[in-house]
Amino acid sequence: MTQGNHSRQGRLSLVGAGPGDPDLLTIKAVKAIEAAHSIVAPTGRAKGASSALEIIREAVDISGKEVIEVHFPMKKVHLSGEKDPSVLEGWNRAANEVLRRTDTGRDVVFPTLGDPSLYSTAYYLLATILEKKPGLETEVIPGISAMSTCSCTVQSPLALGDDLLCVIPATFDDSRIEGVLERFDSICLMKVHRCLPRITKLLEKNGLTDRSVLVERCGMKGQKIFHDLRDAAGRKIHYFSTVIVRKRGFKDITRDVS
Amino acid sequence: MTQGNHSRQGRLSLVGAGPGDPDLLTIKAVKAIEAAHSIVAPTGRAKGASSALEIIREAVDISGKEVIEVHFPMKKVHLSGEKDPSVLEGWNRAANEVLRRTDTGRDVVFPTLGDPSLYSTAYYLLATILEKKPGLETEVIPGISAMSTCSCTVQSPLALGDDLLCVIPATFDDSRIEGVLERFDSICLMKVHRCLPRITKLLEKNGLTDRSVLVERCGMKGQKIFHDLRDAAGRKIHYFSTVIVRKRGFKDITRDVS
């Protein structure tokens, strides 16, 4: 399926590629990839390979398809602040690559790591594209998130019963994170790779060390689980790392079960 | 594969069946179901069919497998409070059904709606089973959550950039929910079916009506999206309903993109 149909507009599918294990792709994602003419994939480094592309390549034979890798600089985006010009340029470049294809009737898949609904670059791309072409046919296919995979890997829920769950980027300042640690039953800290020593200290200070777990490269080759975050001290932690804090360790729920 | 191997212990897989669309099962879930000897599935009503079982039945041919449906009363569980005896009895009954099979070398799949990591009965079962048999081999396979599917369906993220996300059962009292509505960028309200009028009022009071969306039976037949919650007033809302509130509607992020 390498030819598009010029008489119609193509369609863009943003596809959640899951956390790394190709078996964690959904059937729907596999079907969308199989049906696409082109795959436009994001790379974090100018010359690096796309992690999302590598995952789908293991799950689906894409050898007959056109593959375009576009560089998305990985920089922190403040939604209400000014955006780095190199970031905007990356979104623009990817949007143009997509539209050049959908305009000639080709269906495009844009794979994104994890789940599009949680902190995914895919929505920046979608917004950029819809500015240029409001009428484009688009769909978003959910994926398995890193936080859910971490939770399942350690076999402890993110939230249960009347738990209150907070998902927060670990890059937030200490007082904000401490406020959340105080008020919530479960806390999922995303993007911990740059601030693990700080997070480890905050958890210790709040007596939550033995209620926390760090999962590095969850669901991928080289996955590591740290039941005590202090064991990760001094290590260079991978970008794909998540910390789950749950005040009620899951064994507690058996308390009344005999 | 209907015979177990008596010389070894069977294995229990808790499998996320996703929100309803059988194509939203993962490849890993499909493989686990295909490899299992028995399927123990939860039903919410004493004589009702299991929703999780119906989903996997559409995705995988399970005609050669033993299927046991166990009644799990759907009652609110307060983690730190006393549990309803009928709830404990349901968990116990399911645990015994599972162990009777794993003890004779049969591999058992327990499918659960959505994602096991978010408010899933599967963890009550797991905890009950591990009390009885701490050494049992178990795995938990993540699934696509209702909240993620809702977000993807309306093509708006749950969280992006420096967003703070809170997941909260809608059954919490007004002041707790209002506190969350004030402090968070994104709020996912679970289990809204019993308190929609109250939630609709709270959102209106806090000026968030046009930042909210209600998705009923997301990813299932009969899915309905209410961009204005007031349009659902007076309707009997299905158990599978989720409200997403996001203060920064996703078009905002295109502000600086030219």
Side-chain angles (χ1 to χ4, degrees), chain B residues 169-172 177 190-201:
Chain B
T171 43
F172 271 54
I177 290 182
M190 315 285 286
K191 309 175 192 172
V192 290
H193 66 295
R194 278 189 200 154
C195 43
L196 194 66
R198 191 168 65 82
I199 294 297
T200 305
K201 246 183 240 166

Side-chain angles (χ1 to χ4, degrees), chain A residues 91-159:
Chain A
W91 300 346
N92 244 315
R93 208 164 35 224
N96 291 336
E97 293 287 359
V98 169
L99 289 173
R100 197 174 304 147
R101 283 158 184 90
T102 53
D103 280 348
T104 54
R106 298 170 74 84
D107 293 323
V108 177
V109 153
F110 181 87
T112 182
L113 265 178
D115 179 21
S117 70
L118 291 169
Y119 304 102
S120 165
T121 323
Y123 274 108
Y124 298 123
L125 176 69
L126 182 62
T128 309
I129 285 177
L130 292 181
E131 281 274 300
K132 293 170 190 275
K133 192 126 199 166
L136 184 72
E137 190 191 339
T138 58
E139 70 170 342
V140 184
I141 300 178
I144 299 292
S145 65
M147 71 178 194
S148 156
T149 311
C150 289
S151 161
C152 291
T153 301
V154 298
Q155 300 195 18
S156 180
L158 286 170

